[in-house]
Amino acid sequence: MRWPYVTPGIPDDWFERLPGIPLSKREVRLLMISALRLQPDSVVWDIGAGTGTIPVETGLLCPQGKIIAVERDEDVAALIRRNCDRFEVSNVEVFEGSAPECLQDLPHRPQRVCIEGGRPIKDILKVVWQHLVPQGRIVATASSLENLYAISEGFAELQLRNIEVVQSSINRLEKRGIYQTFAAVNPIFILSGEKLD
């Protein structure tokens, strides 16, 4: 199955899933990808890659790039590989390990980092910062007030620049019986910033 378009936005139900494993919803994924500001040869780390939606989409958008997907669970890492195979994405490497400890072993210094999970988040940010190249970008998501605060505090301590914070508020049209109604997608905060030195 190939995604025949140059724009991102693969429908959620095109991805293979596992029960209980999070999937970044398409509209949220689009916001995250736009915040990454990718180039065709970007090196991207995706920490807490889950179902693999971000690695697949960024892999397609960065054909000369290298995408490193980090996931601690063996079955979930295998799921990411299957989703990459499903969309014929060959520039994604999946690394099994827990962040921040495993980040020391990753190849390729990142230009872009997407943090979709992991605790303690501030420790992950500090290690990412050490590896991130100058002019690199970090995009992190928070679905709870505690994570929002921790990421904001981490960004301030590391002195990220050009910080942006967006909260998604998305509703999808769904069919319920004979009626069509709007159903909310869980809101999420997307924080991004740059390393300018």
Side-chain angles (χ1 to χ4, degrees):
M1 174 187 305
R2 284 188 64 86
W3 180 242
Y5 309 105
V6 296
T7 52
I10 298 170
D12 296 342
D13 59 4
W14 284 30
F15 290 93
E16 182 182 336
R17 305 212 31 207
L18 285 175
I21 302 306
L23 172 137
S24 298
K25 300 289 189 189
R26 177 175 56 186
E27 297 84 357
V28 173
R29 209 162 52 237
L30 292 170
L31 291 170
M32 293 165 64
I33 289 169
S34 71
L36 284 168
R37 298 183 188 162
L38 299 168
Q39 296 178 318
D41 61 351
S42 288
V43 175
V44 181
W45 287 3
D46 184 22
I47 301 168
T51 304
T53 57
I54 293 289
V56 166
E57 297 257 28
T58 55
L60 292 170
L61 289 168
C62 306
Q64 291 90 46
K66 180 58 75 178
I67 316 302
I68 309 296
V70 178
E71 183 52 58
R72 66 176 179 227
D73 184 276
E74 183 180 341
D75 292 335
V76 180
L79 174 66
I80 297 167
R81 291 184 186 99
R82 289 195 303 274
N83 275 320
C84 288
D85 290 345
R86 173 181 277 223
F87 292 98
E88 300 175 29
V89 178
S90 59
N91 57 346
V92 174
E93 291 181 54
V94 181
F95 282 82
E96 294 174 33
S98 291
E101 296 79 18
C102 72
L103 301 180
Q104 304 290 351
D105 302 323
L106 297 185
H108 316 292
R109 285 188 70 192
Q111 298 161 317
R112 305 291 185 260
V113 178
C114 185
I115 304 173
E116 297 185 81
R119 279 176 292 233
I121 189 70
K122 285 171 69 174
D123 292 342
I124 293 171
L125 282 169
K126 286 175 189 168
V127 176
V128 162
W129 190 255
Q130 294 166 9
H131 293 277
L132 188 67
V133 301
Q135 275 67 64
R137 290 184 62 78
I138 297 174
V139 174
T141 60
S143 56
S144 70
L145 188 60
E146 292 77 14
N147 256 12
L148 174 63
Y149 179 74
I151 294 169
S152 298
E153 196 173 58
F155 275 21
E157 288 172 7
L158 295 170
Q159 298 184 348
L160 268 76
R161 297 292 182 243
N162 301 322
I163 292 174
E164 296 178 2
V165 181
V166 174
Q167 182 194 23
S168 66
S169 178
I170 297 160
N171 297 286
R172 289 179 171 176
L173 188 65
E174 291 185 358
K175 192 164 180 142
R176 301 222 173 125
I178 61 170
Y179 297 102
Q180 295 184 76
T181 183
F182 285 96
V185 172
N186 286 342
I188 197 162
F189 288 94
I190 301 164
L191 300 88
S192 59
E194 298 175 349
K195 180 179 187 176
L196 294 185
D197 52 356

